[in-house]
Amino acid sequence: MESRNWIGGEWLYPSGEEMVAHDPSALQEEVGVVRFSTKDDVTQAGEAARLAQRGWGALTPAARGDCLFRAAGLLEASLAEVAELASREMGKPITEMRGEVMRGVHLLRYYAAEGVRAIGNVIPSNESGVLQYTKRVPLGVTAVITPWNFPVAIPLWKIAPALLCGNTVIWKPAEHASLTAVRIAELFESAQLPTGVLNLVIGQGHVIGDALLAHKELDAVSFTGSTATGMGIAQQCARRNLKYQTEMGGKNAAVVLKDADVAQAVAMIVSGAFRSAGQKCTATSRVIVERSVYEMFTEALCQAVNNIQVAPALDPGTYLGPVASAGQYEKVASYVAMARRDADILAEGGAAPGTDHGYYVRPLVVTGLDSSHPLIREEIFGPVIGVLPADDFEDAIRLCNATVYGLSASLFTRDLRLAHRFLDEAEAGMVRVNQETAGVEYQAAFGGLKWSSSHTREQGQAALEFYSALKTCAIRYD
Ligand code: NAD
């Protein structure tokens, strides 16, 4: 497969650098060739998006929703094929990847149906004979910049509400999710999305990012990725007073209290930490355990982790696959080396046959570090967790909040009073009790506090607020 841009309804080969995409589960396998864009391609995409916006914005939301319904049906019909391509491109285990594609189908249907929801408020006027109300209007041309770790769901949770609200989109997917992005754009083409409404620009962030953010036709930016990149993008948008949202990194804690259901907590913490090889912004990466159950809990956790084996992503039984790319492998391997040097290793999973030629990292559980250590402080984005003992609930909350990030946090307890205190006091945008830190549903608001987010929200109704501007209207009728 070869990547192409989709700009103004045309499939075009950009003239920038090329990258051969290799399967992270089996590096000898080529998945395709990715051709990167130049700044000229970005210029062209912005112009196409501007040209299309007036017509698209003038359609009824229900008509725009019809396109999303058609795209949902096509994506569902292609579920197996899209999931396999994405698994081969970035290494997510196939069973998990199929679930992600289905989430994309649900997202498209959810936002399609929003086309006929009543929106706005009538506001009583202090003058008689005046009707005063709010309405929502499109922002215009929106740049959507996405990461590789959810190659289907994250793009769709931005593109679907952006389109439904009447915006046109320039989509720049991550380098290591480019081939999957082409397939998704093809499905939008088959869904008869009008020319220029969605424009796909395959490219390297450091090469075309500035041109995209400086594009004169741009009205808004929605970004998901690392905190370092996101903060730079926020600065660029603020200089131009563009509306923006940045969803960024996490260092999510799961807190286990002495009355927790240990079997439930272990299963959810293992899932939260090791599915997607720990490469979720909401992945559990710190486990804080009340001291009185520390021994019992860590024994059960270690037993579970020791039983996990890394295995190729396309094997339907695989729980933990490879990490996504050479860059990811080097970064995570450096943290594993740090753990071997500075930490006590509590548990380490194994490797199944066939994992000699891929970016496999065995799951690792470490302890003996305090909150200032890089392994406890920094986002690793790999299958490594640090366990910290806590004296009591107050100490656990203190440790949970001892991070610059604030994306997701979980508590395991049967004590309703402490559960409510945790939901109030944990400094995270998504707070959960007896649930894993990952897995927030598509109809619920998604986003973080502190350095994890620019404090807007994605998914659910919140996304519609981001992708539209509120107008206050007043009309004298007598
Ligand atoms: P990244 O920041 O390296 O890249 C994200 C996207 O930004 C890519 O498309 C990349 O090409 C682009 N980019 C890079 N430099 C740019 C620039 N100067 N201008 C414009 N675009 C640029 O992140 P990544 O490695 O792809 O993804 C992993 C990170 O994403 C992790 O930190 C993870 O926590 C975060 N993430 C956050 C959420 C969330 O909702 N909070 C969800 C998923 C992933």
Side-chain angles (χ1 to χ4, degrees):
M1 181 174 180
E2 276 184 325
S3 78
R4 293 169 300 165
N5 285 345
W6 191 42
I7 298 176
E10 306 271 330
W11 288 99
L12 304 166
Y13 287 105
S15 58
E17 281 177 28
E18 275 182 24
M19 176 186 86
V20 177
H22 291 276
D23 182 343
S25 296
L27 294 176
Q28 69 280 11
E29 303 276 335
E30 276 187 22
V31 185
V33 176
V34 178
R35 294 170 192 269
F36 292 125
S37 300
T38 63
K39 294 178 179 177
D40 290 343
D41 300 307
V42 175
T43 306
Q44 204 185 340
E47 284 164 3
R50 172 60 65 204
L51 202 64
Q53 200 279 321
R54 186 180 285 268
W56 179 247
L59 291 180
T60 61
R64 296 195 290 261
D66 283 345
C67 276
L68 300 184
F69 271 127
R70 288 195 292 274
L74 291 164
L75 181 60
E76 189 168 24
S78 314
L79 190 150
E81 171 227 329
V82 173
E84 183 176 328
L85 173 62
S87 272
R88 292 176 64 224
E89 189 173 20
M90 49 66 73
K92 185 173 293 192
I94 187 70
T95 310
E96 226 184 311
M97 197 58 234
R98 287 197 187 117
E100 183 186 329
V101 178
M102 199 58 216
R103 182 190 179 112
V105 172
H106 289 308
L107 279 156
L108 284 163
R109 291 204 174 117
Y110 175 85
Y111 286 112
E114 287 299 317
V116 289
R117 185 189 289 275
I119 47 169
N121 290 306
V122 175
I123 308 154
S125 171
N126 292 339
E127 292 183 62
S128 61
V130 171
L131 172 65
Q132 182 168 249
Y133 62 96
T134 57
K135 68 190 286 189
R136 296 201 159 271
V137 297
L139 300 173
V141 174
T142 305
V144 161
I145 304 173
T146 51
W148 45 265
N149 66 331
F150 282 87
V152 175
I154 289 181
L156 289 178
W157 87 40
K158 294 177 187 292
I159 291 169
L163 296 185
L164 191 271
C165 288
N167 305 287
T168 52
V169 169
I170 313 167
W171 174 23
K172 198 215 82 60
E175 293 82 330
H176 292 286
S178 299
L179 299 169
T180 307
V182 170
R183 202 57 203 99
I184 292 170
E186 285 172 355
L187 293 172
F188 275 106
E189 183 186 37
S190 303
Q192 295 152 35
L193 193 71
T195 296
V197 169
L198 174 65
N199 300 278
L200 174 67
V201 181
I202 304 288
Q204 296 151 295
H206 67 277
V207 175
I208 60 167
D210 285 347
L212 180 55
L213 296 164
H215 201 298
K216 65 180 180 15
E217 302 293 356
L218 201 60
D219 297 299
V221 177
S222 179
F223 164 88
T224 297
S226 61
T227 295
T229 309
M231 288 202 175
I233 287 176
Q235 281 179 12
Q236 281 171 280
C237 291
R239 271 201 292 274
R240 293 184 60 194
N241 200 28
L242 294 182
K243 189 171 186 183
Y244 68 87
Q245 70 178 177
T246 51
E247 287 301 334
M248 305 178 282
K251 190 69 188 175
N252 313 294
V255 174
V256 182
L257 297 185
K258 59 184 178 224
D259 68 340
D261 175 335
V262 169
Q264 180 192 57
V266 166
M268 290 193 174
I269 288 169
V270 167
S271 174
F274 300 117
R275 284 195 189 274
S276 292
Q279 302 168 117
K280 291 183 186 176
C281 52
T282 49
T284 307
S285 61
R286 297 176 298 145
V287 183
I288 298 162
V289 188
E290 209 168 349
R291 221 177 275 279
S292 55
V293 287
Y294 186 85
E295 293 297 326
M296 180 182 53
F297 174 80
T298 50
E299 200 174 302
L301 176 69
C302 292
Q303 201 178 2
V305 174
N306 286 331
N307 283 336
I308 300 175
Q309 294 211 311
V310 286
L314 284 186
D315 179 340
T318 294
Y319 188 86
L320 174 51
V323 296
S325 63
Q328 264 297 99
Y329 184 77
E330 279 158 27
K331 184 179 145 206
V332 178
S334 75
Y335 281 110
V336 171
M338 194 189 287
R340 295 202 194 289
R341 195 188 63 216
D342 295 349
D344 302 325
I345 307 288
L346 279 180
E348 188 163 18
T355 53
D356 298 340
H357 303 291
Y359 295 131
Y360 294 95
V361 181
R362 291 158 59 201
L364 193 63
V365 182
V366 305
T367 192
L369 303 168
D370 67 29
S371 290
S372 64
H373 192 279
L375 285 164
I376 303 298
R377 215 179 59 224
E378 295 171 11
E379 183 182 46
I380 299 173
F381 225 51
V384 180
I385 49 175
V387 187
L388 301 157
D391 297 334
D392 52 22
F393 177 78
E394 276 70 25
D395 195 32
I397 282 281
R398 182 187 62 77
L399 288 168
C400 174
N401 292 341
T403 168
V404 294
Y405 295 108
L407 197 56
S408 178
S410 284
L411 177 73
F412 291 90
T413 187
R414 292 181 172 109
D415 184 327
L416 198 54
R417 193 179 54 90
L418 293 179
H420 279 287
R421 272 194 64 191
F422 183 80
L423 297 173
D424 284 344
E425 294 174 32
E427 293 170 357
M430 293 169 287
V431 282
R432 298 157 69 77
V433 173
N434 298 326
Q435 301 251 42
E436 61 178 89
T437 52
V440 174
E441 295 179 350
Y442 61 86
Q443 67 275 35
F446 185 104
L449 304 179
K450 294 156 88 176
W451 282 21
S452 291
S453 163
S454 55
H455 317 290
T456 60
R457 291 289 177 265
E458 302 206 83
Q459 296 200 136
Q461 297 295 301
L464 301 172
E465 278 165 34
F466 176 75
Y467 290 106
S468 58
L470 192 67
K471 275 192 175 174
T472 303
C473 310
I475 179 163
R476 187 179 301 284
Y477 56 82
D478 64 358

